[in-house]
């Protein structure tokens, strides 16, 4: 079992930055690939970024590529998402997730999920 708790969301103006954190507890977090997804009101859950267990492989969704950066610190059991140049369309609840089978853009590949943290970007 892995428990995930997100933090760091909030209200920010367009062009601003936020850093989300995802604290993990439970066994073997460092062996899981992890990712960030987001869900805006009335929309489906959307892939944002994913990172392999050792941080060596990362993938990003096209809308956030070059603006967001995913990283992890296995010694601290924590996943991060640095978000720069935020846009109003980035407004959503952001969830972190962990997958046994490796990096994936598909939410069905993930075994554990956090409750989410709200990010609101004003224009």
């Amino acid at each position: 079992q892995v428990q995930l708790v997100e933090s760091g969301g909030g209200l920010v103006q367009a062009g601003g930055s936020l850093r989300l954190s995802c604290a993990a507890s439970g066994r073997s977090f460092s062996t899981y690939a992890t990712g960030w997804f987001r869900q805006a009101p009335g929309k489906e859950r959307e892939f944002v970024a994913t990172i392999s267990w050792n941080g060596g492989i990362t993938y990003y969704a096209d809308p956030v590529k070059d603006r967001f950066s995913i990283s992890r610190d296995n010694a601290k059991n924590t996943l991060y998402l640095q978000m720069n140049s935020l846009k109003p369309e980035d407004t959503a609840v952001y969830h972190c997730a962990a997958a046994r089978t490796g990096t994936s853009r598909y939410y069905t590949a993930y075994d554990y999920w956090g409750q989410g943290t709200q990010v609101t970007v004003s224009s």
Side-chain angles (χ1 to χ4, degrees):
Q1 287 282 347
V2 175
Q3 293 81 41
L4 303 171
V5 179
E6 303 93 337
S7 63
L11 174 64
V12 63
Q13 289 189 333
S17 298
L18 282 174
R19 188 173 84 153
L20 305 183
S21 297
C22 173
S25 59
R27 300 178 63 182
S28 304
F29 170 77
S30 61
T31 66
Y32 287 77
T34 49
W36 289 96
F37 288 76
R38 65 187 183 185
Q39 190 164 19
K43 295 189 177 181
E44 293 188 352
R45 192 167 299 191
E46 176 186 30
F47 167 73
V48 175
T50 183
I51 187 168
S52 61
W53 68 274
N54 64 353
I57 298 172
T58 58
Y59 296 110
Y60 296 90
D62 286 343
V64 308
K65 198 173 181 180
D66 299 326
R67 298 189 297 123
F68 290 11
S69 178
I70 189 171
S71 62
R72 64 190 294 165
D73 185 338
N74 287 340
K76 296 182 178 180
N77 276 6
T78 304
L79 173 70
Y80 302 100
L81 184 69
Q82 178 66 43
M83 305 187 295
N84 299 327
S85 302
L86 282 161
K87 304 176 180 180
E89 51 263 44
D90 295 319
T91 295
V93 176
Y94 283 70
H95 298 268
C96 62
R100 295 187 190 95
T101 55
T103 56
S104 177
R105 299 173 179 265
Y106 302 101
Y107 72 86
T108 53
Y110 291 80
D111 304 288
Y112 302 103
W113 290 86
Q115 292 296 310
T117 186
Q118 176 71 47
V119 172
T120 303
V121 184
S122 63
S123 57

